Amino acid sequence: MFRTLLAAAVCAVALVVGLAQGALAEIPPGDQLFPATTKAFVSVANWPDAIEKFNRTPLGLLLQDEKMEAFTADLRKQLDGDKGTVAERLGMPLEDLEALPSGEVSAGLVELPSKVVGGVVLFDVAQNVPQAQAALKKVETRMLKDGAKRATQESKAGQVTLTVFTIPPRGERKETITAIYFLHEGLLGFADNLAVVEDILVRWKNRTKDGLNTNEDYVATSKQANRNDLKPDVRWYVDPLATLSALQGNMNRKMGGRDLSKVLSREFAALKAAAGVVVLDAAPYGLIHSNYVLAPQPFERGMKVLTFPNAKAFPVPKWVPSKIASYTAFSWDVLNAFDHFDTLFDEFAGDGEEGVWKDVLDSIKTDPNGPQIDLRDDLVAHTGQHCIFLIDTELPVGPYSQRRLFAVEAKNEAKLAAAVERAMQGDKEVRIHEVIVAGKTHRIFEMMPEEDGVPAVQVQVDGQNQVAAAAQPPHQAVTVAHGWMFIATHVDSLVAIIKSPKAAKPLADDQAYAKVLNECGVFHKTPRCIQMFNRDDERLYLAYELFRIGKLPEADLPIAEALNAIFSSEVAEGEVRKPKLNGEKLPDFAVVRKYFDTSGVFGSTENNGWFVMGFLFNKVQPPARTENAGKAINAEARRPDKKAE
């Protein structure tokens, strides 16, 4: 199944197919074959070993559960069927492709100096050449049957035959696809651009020294990401701004007539690159990931908003309950972010017009019909740097069931509360909830769309007259209490916190949280700028259930919004996107829950960027490994003393 998902991801970036053969020779690593101009790159070091290790992770164990068989079989049909994007682009069932690699699998998005952009995936099939030849015969048969035009040519590098298919539009797909493939000396290649293939083959045949491994950003980020000397099964690298620019060029997307990639490059110029490594089956963990983002100081423009000072500790407030899906504590210079938010606001809300943010602040401060407050000095200046983000699920399951809460510490609670009151008072689109506890009145301000109207003030006194969960989309609500300013998606989340400054079962006393926090210390001591605790089963529950009932595109979830943005061109404005895949054969979530435990993520700010690392625990003990399986990470690798250079 892991192989299926990787192949599907490869197709999603249009990495497609080719043929030739010759005497076997040593195949260089992927980062030597891909050029230094590669914008995104991922490599699985040893495919068969990675598959065996993946099968011992929580997700791998779940996919092997007999109760998942009906869904996995159905998913293969959906991906490989006549209307399946994967089968159409690969020209062969995924099952045939998955068994071919005997060594490294690497994929990348390449931009040549000529600005030509293409996707490539390379498979080391040195031990399976006859099987690869047979599989590619199936490709040719299927492609021709589906109306593709076939042509062959010898590469400029010589002795490598390239087979090129031109695949006409079909079904919902309106564009013509170019699919190129080759098989030479044990290397199987799939691509969607002839010039990019030629560039890689010339580098291979001539053994030139201008591969991705000579790219300074790639070398620096990869070294910092693996500072703990892990033995990675998967490596990745991306130049985020250049990748966005390349993809945007391919998709010809604009933002209000302006180039989004140029706007982001101007605002976040310091964001140079990111890289990471993943270790599978690293007992006692199911998975470890270690990452580095290269962003050298000093920051300018929008980058200044991303100032996350390190802190020695993140004490958990007593109002945070133990039963949550995700808890993130981080340090953020909120006042500094506010002071440098102007260029971002002008670009995205002001359509690039300079001074729009300043005009907004001046209006809020001086307009006689407005709140007449100085947002900076009266409100933001009274916040601290300790921030918290919580995620939980409201039952029953629905598109708006995810509860999210952001909290920032209040350095001066009274002044901060007064500023919030002044900002909200008299606003016709604000509903006021009063919560009276022990004789003290707390006010919650709920931002309502104008068309919803504002009903009378609701009052709860010492636990009476609870606010019912809304069936309609939640509205953002804000309040100040217990030394924090809260912004939440659901009003009743704030009501509960106001009434219970100490949760019945606080997260601070939770043993699972303590275990994750202790393991964070194994890899990286404080100070940190972020630490996260997740109950992975609770995090997966909502998206799983919505996918199962076909409601994920309607959901107020980050993953749903991302998918909707990717496929936005397929639906008319105002319409709901139809699911790409059918999840109705998924089993009850109880099957999933038994495999997933807890996980943690932590990170720190450094002079040249951010280091972020994380892990997840296996809930079920995997079966004994085979003799040929790679060795799990040992205690020394788990508890390294090596410091970053």
Side-chain angles (χ1 to χ4, degrees):
M1 189 62 190
F2 173 60
R3 293 168 286 187
T4 298
L5 296 175
L6 179 59
V10 166
C11 290
V13 283
L15 303 179
V16 245
V17 249
L19 170 61
Q21 58 181 357
L24 295 182
E26 182 179 356
I27 300 174
D31 62 357
Q32 292 182 24
L33 292 175
F34 279 85
T37 57
T38 299
K39 304 308 179 187
F41 174 78
V42 62
S43 166
V44 180
N46 184 303
W47 181 267
D49 190 50
I51 294 302
E52 182 164 4
K53 289 180 178 180
F54 172 80
N55 287 338
R56 296 166 56 81
T57 67
L59 182 56
L61 293 169
L62 168 65
L63 293 174
Q64 295 171 79
D65 192 298
E66 61 180 12
K67 293 183 179 180
M68 289 290 291
E69 288 179 0
F71 169 71
T72 54
D74 185 59
L75 179 62
R76 282 183 180 275
K77 288 181 180 179
Q78 293 183 63
L79 294 174
D80 282 337
D82 290 339
K83 295 182 180 179
T85 301
V86 173
E88 183 182 32
R89 289 177 181 262
L90 288 180
M92 73 173 83
L94 289 173
E95 197 170 13
D96 290 351
L97 179 63
E98 293 166 3
L100 296 180
S102 55
E104 182 185 17
V105 175
S106 56
L109 180 69
V110 176
E111 182 178 41
L112 300 180
S114 61
K115 298 303 179 182
V116 169
V117 177
V120 182
V121 60
L122 303 175
F123 295 84
D124 178 346
V125 296
Q127 304 303 314
N128 297 316
V129 171
Q131 295 93 322
Q133 292 170 335
L136 292 175
K137 288 293 184 182
K138 290 184 180 181
V139 170
E140 182 172 336
T141 300
R142 183 166 184 168
M143 290 282 194
L144 295 176
K145 181 180 178 181
D146 288 344
K149 293 183 178 180
R150 177 184 182 274
T152 60
Q153 65 183 71
E154 184 173 318
S155 75
K156 294 178 181 179
Q159 300 181 340
V160 181
T161 301
L162 305 176
T163 301
V164 183
F165 284 107
T166 303
I167 309 170
R170 182 184 179 191
E172 296 181 358
R173 177 176 54 78
K174 305 302 181 184
E175 78 278 12
T176 297
I177 298 174
T178 300
I180 306 160
Y181 63 87
F182 66 87
L183 174 60
H184 184 74
E185 295 184 352
L187 182 67
L188 173 64
F190 303 76
D192 65 357
N193 186 281
L194 189 59
V196 171
V197 173
E198 293 281 17
D199 181 80
I200 287 177
L201 291 176
V202 167
R203 183 171 298 98
W204 182 21
K205 299 292 287 186
N206 297 336
R207 295 296 193 267
T208 56
K209 305 296 183 181
D210 58 346
L212 179 60
N213 62 332
T214 65
N215 181 306
E216 292 183 0
D217 288 347
Y218 170 78
V219 172
T221 52
S222 298
K223 181 178 181 180
Q224 290 294 346
N226 198 21
R227 62 182 60 181
N228 286 327
D229 288 334
L230 304 174
K231 296 180 180 179
D233 297 296
V234 181
R235 296 176 293 127
W236 64 270
Y237 164 81
V238 64
D239 178 337
L241 297 175
T243 297
L244 175 64
S245 177
L247 291 176
Q248 181 177 267
N250 278 357
M251 296 183 291
N252 195 29
R253 288 186 178 177
K254 300 290 181 179
M255 182 188 68
R258 294 178 298 133
D259 189 318
L260 173 61
S261 64
K262 289 183 178 179
V263 171
L264 293 178
S265 295
R266 183 163 57 248
E267 291 299 313
F268 301 101
L271 193 57
K272 301 297 184 183
V277 297
V278 179
V279 181
L280 302 170
D281 187 27
Y285 315 104
L287 176 150
I288 300 172
H289 60 91
S290 184
N291 318 278
Y292 188 78
V293 179
L294 180 63
Q297 299 274 7
F299 290 167
E300 299 293 339
R301 297 179 68 87
M303 279 298 298
K304 290 187 175 182
V305 172
L306 305 180
T307 301
F308 305 108
N310 291 324
K312 292 183 178 180
F314 292 101
V316 184
K318 291 295 184 180
W319 50 261
V320 179
S322 174
K323 191 181 181 305
I324 54 170
S326 179
Y327 168 81
T328 303
F330 61 102
S331 180
W332 185 26
D333 192 337
V334 180
L335 184 59
N336 176 75
F338 183 88
D339 286 341
H340 296 95
F341 186 62
D342 54 342
T343 58
L344 282 174
F345 188 91
D346 291 351
E347 289 285 8
F348 290 94
D351 292 330
E353 183 180 344
E354 190 174 337
V356 176
W357 176 240
K358 182 179 182 300
D359 291 343
V360 169
L361 294 183
D362 289 343
S363 177
I364 293 173
K365 183 177 180 180
T366 61
D367 188 343
N369 296 317
Q372 295 186 324
I373 67 169
D374 185 319
L375 282 184
R376 184 193 189 281
D377 294 339
D378 295 339
L379 194 150
V380 180
H382 300 305
T383 61
Q385 296 184 351
H386 185 182
C387 301
I388 290 172
F389 184 63
L390 302 181
I391 297 177
D392 206 358
T393 301
E394 176 187 41
L395 297 178
V397 166
Y400 308 108
S401 290
Q402 187 177 86
R403 296 168 176 258
R404 297 184 293 273
L405 181 147
F406 171 76
V408 57
E409 66 176 327
K411 292 193 298 185
N412 189 319
E413 182 176 344
K415 289 186 177 181
L416 189 56
V420 171
E421 177 96 16
R422 287 176 57 193
M424 299 294 175
Q425 198 70 29
D427 192 326
K428 295 180 180 180
E429 296 181 13
V430 171
R431 174 191 293 169
I432 301 174
H433 302 266
E434 292 186 346
V435 183
I436 305 172
V437 179
K440 183 179 180 180
T441 300
H442 299 264
R443 304 189 108 191
I444 301 173
F445 303 92
E446 181 182 10
M447 278 66 84
M448 304 288 295
E450 188 173 357
E451 59 271 18
D452 283 6
V454 183
V457 171
Q458 301 180 24
V459 180
Q460 298 82 38
V461 181
D462 291 334
Q464 301 300 312
N465 303 321
Q466 297 282 344
V467 176
Q472 61 184 358
H475 307 131
Q476 193 174 77
V478 61
T479 193
V480 178
H482 311 320
W484 297 82
M485 182 173 76
F486 299 95
I487 302 173
T489 56
H490 292 69
V491 171
D492 48 335
S493 296
L494 300 185
V495 172
I497 289 174
I498 288 174
K499 292 191 301 183
S500 302
K502 180 178 180 180
K505 294 182 178 180
L507 181 65
D509 300 334
D510 188 271
Q511 292 184 354
Y513 173 75
K515 178 183 177 182
V516 167
L517 196 61
N518 179 67
E519 289 298 313
C520 287
V522 165
F523 292 101
H524 183 67
K525 305 300 181 184
T526 55
R528 303 181 189 130
C529 66
I530 187 172
Q531 60 189 39
M532 178 188 296
F533 166 75
N534 301 307
R535 299 188 191 278
D536 291 324
D537 55 347
E538 295 295 336
R539 280 207 307 166
L540 291 170
Y541 175 66
L542 181 57
Y544 182 94
E545 290 295 337
L546 291 173
F547 174 55
R548 188 162 70 129
I549 63 177
K551 296 291 185 181
L552 189 58
E554 305 171 31
D556 178 30
L557 292 174
I559 185 173
E561 293 173 357
L563 291 172
N564 289 344
I566 292 172
F567 299 112
S568 61
S569 61
E570 299 180 7
V571 296
E573 187 174 352
E575 292 185 0
V576 177
R577 180 181 63 85
K578 293 181 180 180
K580 283 286 185 181
L581 297 172
N582 189 334
E584 65 181 8
K585 292 191 177 182
L586 282 168
D588 186 85
F589 190 73
V591 176
V592 179
R593 193 180 296 278
K594 70 181 182 181
Y595 291 104
F596 285 89
D597 195 16
T598 55
S599 64
V601 176
F602 56 94
S604 58
T605 294
E606 302 178 355
N607 289 336
N608 289 319
W610 298 280
F611 173 69
V612 181
M613 196 167 181
F615 54 85
L616 60 86
F617 288 109
N618 267 344
K619 196 171 187 177
V620 174
Q621 180 65 32
R625 302 198 63 186
T626 63
E627 287 185 9
N628 295 328
K631 296 181 180 179
I633 189 170
N634 58 30
E636 285 68 35
R638 285 183 56 224
R639 291 167 167 77
D641 294 320
K642 183 176 179 179
K643 303 296 182 182
E645 296 182 11

